[in-house]
């Protein structure tokens, strides 16, 4: 293994929170490297290092909560700019030293005690509503009167805009102008989202909304830098690609090198305040036609000459910062990437994806389970076979149900086709995928129900599936469903092995 490969492997294993099992297949040197990692060299502390050092269970010290709270207040109220950097450093280190419970307590204090002054807002609204706006049919009036009247309106409106800004805005803006502050804000928002996942606290919801709005403005495409990531980039950057790949895990160094080699592209968005770390990256395969299976893209097959490529296929897009959830950087990254590929390869005319369908199986299994329960209840209440519940729905066509019953072994038998299907799909080790007969019986209902899930199932007017919603809102169209396109455990668990092509026209 060359020095770069060993460096990537070592750095990835050192990364806090990384699952060692994910990287176990990198090299037969893993045991030797594990020994080398017993006493890793001391590194210069960054925000990531601080976070991991302070939060490692059993090996951290926790600052007094009141001291960190006081440090936060000082970071908001201090007027001496020459001391501000020291105070912000002290606050960020103190925050990461706290336990998860005390972090939640601290951000709740921030949300409540540094909110906007509603008494002041009410007073300004009373003043504003007390002003009379002269209508245009009251005769002529002097320009001086008009000037005075509108001057009062402008003054109260300006004061009202200022009063509607929460005080914690000051902390956000100061951190944004502080070295490593933008990274801290991203980590802070990740914590806030985690707390909101545990409990919906209105003041934290308002805090998150404000911070999300700020981050959206500070991370506009105008300030982001697009960079093509290649094997020649630093080992520290490449190990982040390995770590953050969220769609198709990188299995070994050869896999990584292949994804960055001939016939492949990887583009990332970077921000000057977070150097060396992509906020989001996309992986692209240059092909003759739109691929139908992920194996065509990931397996070691000879790439076609790039000048013969007619399709740019996006097969993975991964965000590296949980705190940037809901900020649609992917939309701008796709558009910029398409522009670059068109410029460099004018013969490429098709831009498509080979996308997972992460919510399909969860939706389908929930439907099958609930319908099976309803069917049992109806049979108990109406043993003679009267009309069923208004909410009961047979998800299978008669031919599909008959084929499933005839093809299924006795171990997966059920009272109806939906129960048989539920038993098959929840079997251990996805045994149904090794039977050609079962695959043939399951294909028609799974493909039909998957099409329904993508195109008809909605939540607040948007596609129920998160990936589908992302691409459809960005202007893509559903082109084709692909049967058994991803036979990995993750692919079978999420979507029964089905993948979908979205095409950007």
């Amino acid at each position: 293994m060359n020095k770069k490969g060993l460096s990537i492997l070592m750095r990835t294993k050192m990364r806090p929170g990384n699952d060692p099992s994910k990287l176990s297949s990198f090299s037969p040197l893993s045991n030797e490297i594990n020994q080398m990692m017993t006493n890793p060299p001391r590194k210069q502390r960054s925000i990531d290092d601080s976070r991991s050092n302070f939060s490692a269970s059993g090996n951290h010290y926790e600052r007094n909560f009141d001291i960190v709270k006081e440090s936060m207040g000082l970071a908001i109220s201090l007027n001496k700019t020459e001391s501000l950097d020291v105070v912000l450093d002290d606050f960020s280190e103190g925050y990461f030293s706290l336990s998860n419970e005390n972090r939640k307590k601290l951000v709740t204090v921030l949300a409540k005690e540094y909110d906007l002054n509603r008494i002041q807002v009410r007073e300004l609204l009373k003043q504003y509503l007390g002003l009379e706006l002269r209508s245009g049919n009251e005769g002529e009036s002097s320009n001086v009167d008009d000037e005075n009247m509108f001057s009062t309106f402008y003054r109260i409106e300006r004061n009202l805009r200022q009063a509607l800004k929460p005080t914690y805005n000051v902390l956000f803006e100061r951190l944004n102008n502080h070295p490593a502050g933008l990274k801290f804000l991203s980590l802070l928002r990740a914590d806030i989202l985690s707390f909101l996942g545990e409990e919906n606290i209105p003041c934290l919801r308002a805090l998150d909304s404000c911070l999300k709005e700020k981050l959206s403005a500070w991370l506009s495409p105008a300030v982001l830098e697009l960079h093509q990531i290649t094997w020649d980039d630093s080992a520290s950057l490449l190990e982040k690609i390995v770590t953050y790949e969220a769609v198709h895990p990188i299995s070994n160094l050869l896999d990584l090198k292949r994804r960055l080699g001939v016939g492949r592209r990887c583009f990332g968005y970077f921000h000057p305040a977070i150097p060396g770390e992509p906020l989001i990256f996309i992986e692209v395969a240059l092909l003759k036609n739109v691929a139908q299976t992920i194996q065509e893209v990931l397996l070691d097959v000879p790439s076609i000459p790039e000048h013969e490529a007619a399709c740019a296929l996006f097969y993975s897009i991964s965000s590296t910062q949980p705190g940037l959830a809901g900020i649609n950087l992917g939309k701008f990254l796709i558009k910029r990437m398409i522009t670059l590929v068109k410029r460099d390869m004018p013969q490429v005319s098709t831009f498509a994806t080979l996308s997972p369908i992460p919510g399909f199986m969860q939706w389908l299994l929930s439907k099958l389970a609930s319908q099976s329960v309803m069917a049992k209840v109806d049979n108990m209440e109406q043993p003679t076979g009267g009309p069923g519940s208004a909410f009961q729905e047979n998800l299978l066509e008669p031919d599909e149900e008959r084929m499933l019953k005839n093809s299924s072994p006795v171990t997966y038998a059920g009272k109806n086709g939906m129960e048989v299907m539920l038993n098959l799909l929840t079997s251990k080790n996805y045994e149904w995928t090794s039977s050609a007969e079962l695959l043939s019986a399951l294909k028609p209902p799974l493909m039909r129900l998957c099409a329904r899930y993508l195109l008809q199932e909605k939540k607040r007017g948007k596609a129920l599936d998160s990936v589908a919603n992302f691409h459809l809102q960005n202007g893509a169209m559903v082109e084709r469903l692909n049967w058994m396109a991803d036979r990995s455990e993750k692919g079978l668990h999420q979507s029964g092995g089905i993948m979908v092509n979205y095409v950007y026209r």
Side-chain angles (χ1 to χ4, degrees):
M1 180 184 295
N2 59 25
K3 289 183 179 180
K4 173 170 278 192
L6 182 60
S7 177
I8 296 169
L9 180 55
M10 290 177 65
R11 292 175 64 91
T12 309
K13 281 183 171 289
M14 289 174 66
R15 190 168 189 84
N18 196 50
D19 182 3
S21 63
K22 177 180 174 182
L23 301 163
S24 59
S25 59
F26 261 105
S27 164
L29 297 175
S30 56
N31 291 333
E32 185 178 337
I33 289 171
N34 282 332
Q35 295 174 3
M36 295 168 62
M37 298 313 300
T38 305
N39 296 301
R42 185 178 180 86
K43 298 169 66 181
Q44 183 178 1
R45 186 164 64 188
S46 65
I47 280 191
D48 274 338
D49 298 326
S50 301
R51 190 176 196 185
S52 59
N53 290 340
F54 286 130
S55 62
S57 58
N59 294 309
H60 77 281
Y61 68 88
E62 182 173 354
R63 287 194 195 174
N64 181 279
F65 174 82
D66 291 329
I67 292 176
V68 182
K69 177 184 172 183
E70 183 180 351
S71 175
M72 181 178 70
L74 197 58
I76 294 172
S77 61
L78 188 68
N79 291 322
K80 293 182 179 179
T81 54
E82 63 273 13
S83 306
L84 190 56
D85 283 345
V86 176
V87 172
L88 290 171
D89 279 335
D90 185 63
F91 166 61
S92 61
E93 289 188 9
Y95 177 81
F96 288 130
S97 80
L98 297 176
S99 65
N100 193 63
E101 182 181 351
N102 276 338
R103 288 188 197 182
K104 183 177 181 179
K105 184 178 174 183
L106 186 68
V107 295
T108 305
V109 169
L110 178 64
K112 289 182 176 179
E113 296 186 10
Y114 295 93
D115 200 356
L116 55 86
N117 186 339
R118 289 183 173 80
I119 295 176
Q120 183 185 9
V121 172
R122 286 172 63 89
E123 288 301 320
L124 287 168
L125 284 172
K126 287 178 183 178
Q127 293 178 33
Y128 194 78
L129 294 172
L131 296 175
E132 290 188 11
L133 184 61
R134 187 179 294 111
S135 60
N137 58 359
E138 292 182 359
E140 295 183 2
S141 60
S142 68
N143 288 335
V144 175
D145 289 342
D146 285 345
E147 294 267 343
N148 290 337
M149 178 186 67
F150 284 111
S151 177
T152 304
F153 272 108
Y154 296 149
R155 174 175 53 79
I156 297 178
E157 288 164 355
R158 182 182 65 248
N159 293 339
L160 189 56
R161 280 195 299 270
Q162 192 62 33
L164 285 170
K165 292 180 181 178
T167 308
Y168 47 68
N169 262 7
V170 176
L171 179 63
F172 296 158
E173 288 165 1
R174 287 181 170 182
L175 281 166
N176 181 51
N177 293 321
H178 178 67
L182 188 63
K183 176 73 172 178
F184 174 85
L185 288 171
S186 171
L187 296 173
L188 175 66
R189 183 164 184 256
D191 282 346
I192 294 170
L193 291 173
S194 174
F195 302 147
L196 286 170
E198 298 168 1
E199 183 181 1
N200 188 10
I201 305 172
C203 65
L204 284 190
R205 185 69 64 188
L207 180 73
D208 172 64
S209 178
C210 179
L211 182 52
K212 178 185 175 183
E213 186 178 335
K214 290 286 185 184
L215 289 171
S216 297
W218 294 329
L219 296 173
S220 69
V223 298
L224 296 175
E225 300 168 355
L226 184 67
H227 172 65
Q228 182 179 342
I229 300 164
T230 70
W231 182 253
D232 294 327
D233 280 305
S234 67
S236 62
L237 173 56
L238 297 185
E239 65 94 4
K240 289 181 173 67
I241 299 301
V242 172
T243 302
Y244 290 125
E245 166 58 59
V247 184
H248 303 292
I250 297 173
S251 57
N252 50 50
L253 287 173
L254 181 62
D255 187 13
L256 174 63
K257 198 166 186 177
R258 188 186 308 125
R259 296 192 194 196
L260 303 175
V262 178
R264 300 293 182 266
R265 296 289 188 274
C266 181
F267 297 95
Y269 255 152
F270 294 76
H271 192 282
I274 311 177
E277 182 165 352
L279 304 182
I280 188 171
F281 61 91
I282 188 170
E283 296 171 69
V284 186
L286 301 172
L287 306 168
K288 280 189 175 181
N289 302 298
V290 179
Q292 297 187 46
T293 71
I294 195 61
Q295 288 79 15
E296 297 174 51
V297 178
L298 297 182
L299 291 185
D300 190 12
V301 292
S303 299
I304 62 166
E306 290 193 353
H307 68 272
E308 295 181 9
C311 169
L313 186 88
F314 330 141
Y315 62 93
S316 177
I317 183 165
S318 302
S319 174
T320 67
Q321 309 295 320
L324 302 185
I327 300 173
N328 195 354
L329 299 178
K331 171 182 179 180
F332 302 109
L333 178 59
I334 288 175
K335 289 184 176 180
R336 286 285 305 279
M337 183 277 300
I338 288 176
T339 302
L340 280 182
V341 173
K342 277 185 174 180
R343 184 195 67 189
D344 297 339
M345 307 184 71
Q347 81 276 10
V348 173
S349 57
T350 302
F351 295 88
T353 79
L354 182 60
S355 295
I357 313 167
F360 172 54
M361 286 299 284
Q362 182 182 4
W363 171 83
L364 178 59
L365 294 178
S366 176
K367 278 274 188 184
L368 290 170
S370 63
Q371 292 301 323
S372 295
V373 170
M374 285 183 190
K376 288 179 182 177
V377 171
D378 283 345
N379 288 336
M380 291 173 62
E381 292 179 349
Q382 299 175 2
T384 56
S389 164
F391 297 102
Q392 189 174 341
E393 173 191 13
N394 192 346
L395 298 173
L396 299 173
E397 301 290 344
D399 290 346
E400 296 169 349
E401 185 161 14
R402 184 167 51 255
M403 194 170 181
L404 275 171
K405 285 184 174 181
N406 293 338
S407 305
S408 300
V410 178
T411 50
Y412 300 114
K415 294 181 179 179
N416 55 50
M418 290 189 295
E419 197 169 318
V420 171
M421 191 176 187
L422 180 62
N423 293 336
L424 284 170
L425 295 178
T426 54
S427 62
K428 292 182 179 180
N429 303 321
Y430 307 99
E431 294 172 357
W432 56 274
T433 60
S434 57
S435 165
E437 191 176 6
L438 288 177
L439 283 172
S440 178
L442 282 168
K443 181 177 178 179
L446 282 179
M447 292 287 274
R448 179 177 57 79
L449 291 167
C450 188
R452 166 182 162 177
Y453 170 72
L454 289 175
L455 300 176
Q456 297 178 4
E457 298 296 322
K458 306 289 183 182
K459 182 179 180 181
R460 297 173 185 169
K462 298 178 181 179
L464 189 58
D465 188 79
S466 58
V467 175
N469 186 62
F470 170 78
H471 287 296
L472 295 175
Q473 284 202 316
N474 290 343
M477 298 175 64
V478 176
E479 180 76 4
R480 178 178 62 200
L481 288 179
N482 302 299
W483 176 245
M484 288 294 105
D486 184 2
R487 288 176 172 264
S488 69
E489 183 177 350
K490 182 179 179 182
L492 293 170
H493 174 72
Q494 290 187 339
S495 61
I498 302 172
M499 298 187 79
V500 58
N501 296 124
Y502 299 99
V503 173
Y504 283 80
R505 291 194 174 92

